[in-house]
Amino acid sequence: MFDPVIAPSGTLLGLLQRGRGDGTLHALTAPRAEALEALDHCVLHDPRHDWQVENRSLYYARLYLDLNGELDAVEAHLFGAEDILDGDESRTGLALAVLGHLASYGRLDALALLRRYAAHGTNWAWALDELALRDDDAGLRALAAPVLARFPADPAGDAELAATVRDAFEPRPWRLWAEDPRTSIATRVRAAQEAGSFDRWQRQMRPAGPRPGWSVAAVLDWAQQGLERGAALHVPAARCLAAVAGPEDRAEILEAARTGTEGARCTALRHLADSADPDALPLIEAAVADGSAGVVEAAVDAFERMRTVAAVEHARRWAERPDALGAAAGRVLACRGTAQDGDLVLGALREAVRGEGPDAPTLWTLVDGAGRLGIACAAPVLRHVYRETASSHLRGRAAGALAATDPSFATGFAVECLWDCEETTRELAARHAETGDARVVERLRRLAADPAEEAEVQTAVRSRIGPDAQTM
């Protein structure tokens, strides 16, 4: 999947792509045709950089309801020729998830589309999972025959069916079909369930990797062999070292951290950092200076995991370095520094935004650190990250940091956050938004009555509008 093209944050499309609360508020005041066009674009061209963790489906489904939007564009997207040519689930996953939420709100047209796609579409398993949560038993039983017809009645087809049943995210349809009154369906599904269980048992009986009694050298060799096969094994290898290494092996591990092969060096550095060895920090600094890209990355990761006072002291010395270790030092101080480290964390935050933009991965930790340390001077940078980032998770973290650093948050961004696509951001807003704004009161009441809303959000809402609340 290609990285999505994100429109500027000041446009309706850009707001909706980011999942910002202002996107909904602007869409509801824009011409309906324009709003629906932007909404369809988002649903049909998933704007998320990480579609597996970022939320958009409930956000878009609610907007379809508010706009009384038709689903013609979604139907054309699901059943077009491209569905046959491109089987990547990310192409249709967002649209199917939106339909699932709409079905839960009682949109029968969405339910019908899901049933039809589960019977005929390429990404049928996703549609079936959505139906497993929302459809009735009769609707699911009607899908048994078309779904099973996807698997030829031969050994290869039976093996594929067994793997599908074994790995199903929602088991409800398969359990229903195993009890189907039609013998041909029930017998085949039960056989697939039994084969999947047997396969899982066999895999558990054939573990791969280190065995009891391995030496330090064997573990280090295993890590290098994995690297040569294209698998980075230094993290599990470091855990193995913790189990097999004794005091007498320290010299061998130190030497591996200095001059070992890439896999061995990464493993040794990780082990020394995790065990708070006094030589870990100098070896990490040396690895960043002369190691390969993989060694540098492993050394930096090992340093960021350290919880010792010495690690924080080294971070203060390294924070202004213009390399990966300097960036890691800023993150260490953001996580474990004290008030005296505020300027260093703020400097790292500004440098990251200036050098890498509002979507830099390092910002996640630095934004949290600015909020944890209460760095008031960071509020302008945090507001910039909030507005511009394409990551709804990072925006939520920026909102949390603004709640701790920006006195205007309760009357500003907290209000729009009540419509945000991320439930954690809506929860934050429910606790902070100033109820003097009439929109806030109305929104809190709607969230409290919405059966699709997350329990944590509704708990926060009840703390503001319940019988014991003091603000309303």
Side-chain angles (χ1 to χ4, degrees), residues 261-292:
T261 60
E262 182 173 338
R265 197 173 185 186
C266 293
T267 301
L269 288 169
R270 178 76 169 222
H271 169 74
L272 292 171
D274 287 352
S275 58
D277 189 280
D279 285 330
L281 290 164
L283 288 169
I284 286 171
E285 186 174 19
V288 171
D290 63 13
S292 65

Coordinates of all heavy atoms in Angstrom, one line a residue, residues 261-292:
T261 N 30.3 -10.0 15.3 CA 29.5 -9.8 14.1 C 28.3 -9.0 14.4 O 27.9 -8.8 15.6 CB 29.1 -11.2 13.6 OG1 28.3 -11.9 14.6 CG2 30.3 -12.1 13.2
E262 N 27.6 -8.5 13.4 CA 26.5 -7.6 13.6 C 25.4 -8.2 14.5 O 25.0 -7.6 15.5 CB 25.9 -7.2 12.3 CG 24.7 -6.2 12.4 CD 24.2 -5.7 11.1 OE1 25.0 -5.7 10.1 OE2 23.1 -5.2 11.0
G263 N 25.0 -9.5 14.2 CA 24.0 -10.1 15.1 C 24.5 -10.3 16.5 O 23.7 -10.0 17.4
A264 N 25.7 -10.7 16.7 CA 26.3 -10.9 18.0 C 26.4 -9.6 18.7 O 26.1 -9.5 19.9 CB 27.6 -11.6 17.9
R265 N 26.9 -8.6 18.0 CA 27.1 -7.3 18.7 C 25.7 -6.7 19.1 O 25.6 -6.2 20.2 CB 27.8 -6.3 17.7 CG 28.4 -5.1 18.4 CD 29.2 -4.3 17.4 NE 29.9 -3.2 18.1 CZ 30.6 -2.3 17.5 NH1 30.7 -2.3 16.1 NH2 31.2 -1.3 18.2
C266 N 24.7 -6.8 18.3 CA 23.4 -6.2 18.7 C 22.9 -7.0 19.9 O 22.3 -6.4 20.8 CB 22.4 -6.4 17.5 SG 22.8 -5.4 16.1
T267 N 23.1 -8.3 19.9 CA 22.6 -9.1 21.0 C 23.3 -8.8 22.3 O 22.7 -8.6 23.4 CB 22.8 -10.6 20.7 OG1 22.1 -10.9 19.5 CG2 22.3 -11.5 21.9
A268 N 24.6 -8.6 22.2 CA 25.4 -8.3 23.4 C 25.1 -7.0 24.0 O 25.0 -6.8 25.2 CB 26.9 -8.4 23.1
L269 N 24.9 -6.0 23.1 CA 24.6 -4.6 23.6 C 23.2 -4.6 24.3 O 23.0 -4.0 25.3 CB 24.6 -3.7 22.4 CG 25.9 -3.3 21.8 CD1 25.7 -2.6 20.5 CD2 26.7 -2.4 22.8
R270 N 22.3 -5.3 23.7 CA 20.9 -5.4 24.3 C 21.0 -6.1 25.7 O 20.4 -5.6 26.6 CB 20.0 -6.2 23.4 CG 18.6 -6.3 23.9 CD 17.8 -5.1 23.7 NE 16.4 -5.3 24.0 CZ 15.4 -4.8 23.3 NH1 15.7 -4.0 22.3 NH2 14.1 -5.1 23.5
H271 N 21.7 -7.2 25.8 CA 21.9 -7.9 27.0 C 22.5 -7.0 28.1 O 22.1 -6.9 29.2 CB 22.7 -9.2 26.8 CG 23.1 -9.8 28.1 ND1 22.2 -10.5 28.9 CD2 24.3 -9.9 28.7 CE1 22.8 -11.0 29.9 NE2 24.1 -10.6 29.9
L272 N 23.6 -6.3 27.7 CA 24.3 -5.5 28.7 C 23.5 -4.3 29.2 O 23.5 -4.0 30.4 CB 25.6 -5.0 28.1 CG 26.7 -6.1 27.8 CD1 27.8 -5.5 27.0 CD2 27.2 -6.7 29.1
A273 N 22.7 -3.7 28.3 CA 21.8 -2.6 28.7 C 20.7 -3.1 29.6 O 20.4 -2.5 30.6 CB 21.2 -2.0 27.4
D274 N 20.1 -4.2 29.2 CA 19.0 -4.8 30.0 C 19.5 -5.2 31.4 O 18.7 -5.1 32.4 CB 18.4 -6.0 29.4 CG 17.5 -5.5 28.2 OD1 17.3 -4.3 28.0 OD2 17.0 -6.4 27.4
S275 N 20.7 -5.6 31.5 CA 21.3 -6.0 32.9 C 22.0 -4.9 33.6 O 22.6 -5.1 34.6 CB 22.2 -7.2 32.7 OG 23.3 -6.9 31.8
A276 N 21.9 -3.7 33.0 CA 22.5 -2.5 33.6 C 24.0 -2.7 33.9 O 24.5 -2.2 35.0 CB 21.8 -2.1 34.9
D277 N 24.7 -3.3 33.0 CA 26.1 -3.5 33.2 C 26.8 -2.2 33.1 O 26.5 -1.3 32.3 CB 26.6 -4.4 32.0 CG 28.1 -4.8 32.2 OD1 29.0 -4.0 32.0 OD2 28.3 -6.0 32.7
P278 N 27.8 -1.9 34.0 CA 28.5 -0.6 34.0 C 29.2 -0.3 32.8 O 29.5 0.9 32.5 CB 29.5 -0.8 35.2 CG 29.6 -2.3 35.4 CD 28.3 -2.9 35.1
D279 N 29.5 -1.3 31.9 CA 30.2 -1.0 30.7 C 29.2 -0.8 29.5 O 29.7 -0.5 28.4 CB 31.2 -2.1 30.3 CG 32.4 -2.1 31.2 OD1 32.8 -1.0 31.6 OD2 33.0 -3.2 31.4
A280 N 27.9 -0.9 29.7 CA 27.0 -0.8 28.7 C 27.0 0.6 28.0 O 27.0 0.6 26.7 CB 25.6 -1.1 29.2
L281 N 27.0 1.6 28.7 CA 26.9 3.0 28.1 C 28.1 3.3 27.3 O 27.9 3.8 26.1 CB 26.6 4.0 29.2 CG 25.2 3.9 29.8 CD1 25.2 4.7 31.2 CD2 24.2 4.4 28.9
P282 N 29.3 3.1 27.7 CA 30.5 3.3 26.8 C 30.5 2.5 25.6 O 30.8 3.0 24.5 CB 31.7 3.0 27.7 CG 31.2 3.1 29.1 CD 29.8 2.7 29.1
L283 N 30.0 1.2 25.7 CA 29.9 0.4 24.5 C 28.9 0.8 23.5 O 29.0 0.7 22.3 CB 29.7 -1.1 25.0 CG 30.9 -1.8 25.6 CD1 30.5 -3.1 26.3 CD2 32.0 -2.0 24.6
I284 N 27.8 1.4 24.1 CA 26.7 1.9 23.2 C 27.2 3.1 22.5 O 27.0 3.3 21.2 CB 25.5 2.3 24.1 CG1 24.7 1.0 24.5 CG2 24.5 3.2 23.3 CD1 23.6 1.2 25.5
E285 N 28.0 4.0 23.1 CA 28.5 5.2 22.5 C 29.5 4.7 21.4 O 29.5 5.3 20.3 CB 29.2 6.1 23.5 CG 29.7 7.4 22.9 CD 30.2 8.3 24.0 OE1 30.5 7.8 25.1 OE2 30.3 9.5 23.7
A286 N 30.3 3.7 21.7 CA 31.3 3.3 20.7 C 30.6 2.6 19.5 O 31.0 2.8 18.3 CB 32.2 2.3 21.3
A287 N 29.5 1.9 19.7 CA 28.8 1.2 18.7 C 28.1 2.3 17.7 O 28.1 2.1 16.5 CB 27.7 0.3 19.2
V288 N 27.6 3.4 18.3 CA 27.1 4.4 17.4 C 28.1 5.1 16.6 O 27.9 5.5 15.4 CB 26.3 5.5 18.3 CG1 25.9 6.7 17.5 CG2 25.1 4.9 19.0
A289 N 29.4 5.1 17.1 CA 30.5 5.8 16.4 C 31.0 4.9 15.2 O 31.3 5.5 14.2 CB 31.6 6.1 17.4
D290 N 31.1 3.6 15.4 CA 31.7 2.8 14.4 C 30.9 1.6 13.9 O 31.4 0.8 13.1 CB 33.1 2.3 14.9 CG 32.9 1.3 16.1 OD1 31.8 0.9 16.4 OD2 34.0 1.1 16.8
G291 N 29.7 1.5 14.4 CA 28.9 0.3 14.0 C 28.1 0.5 12.7 O 28.0 1.6 12.1
S292 N 27.7 -0.6 12.1 CA 26.8 -0.6 10.9 C 25.5 0.0 11.3 O 25.2 0.3 12.5 CB 26.6 -2.0 10.4 OG 25.9 -2.8 11.4

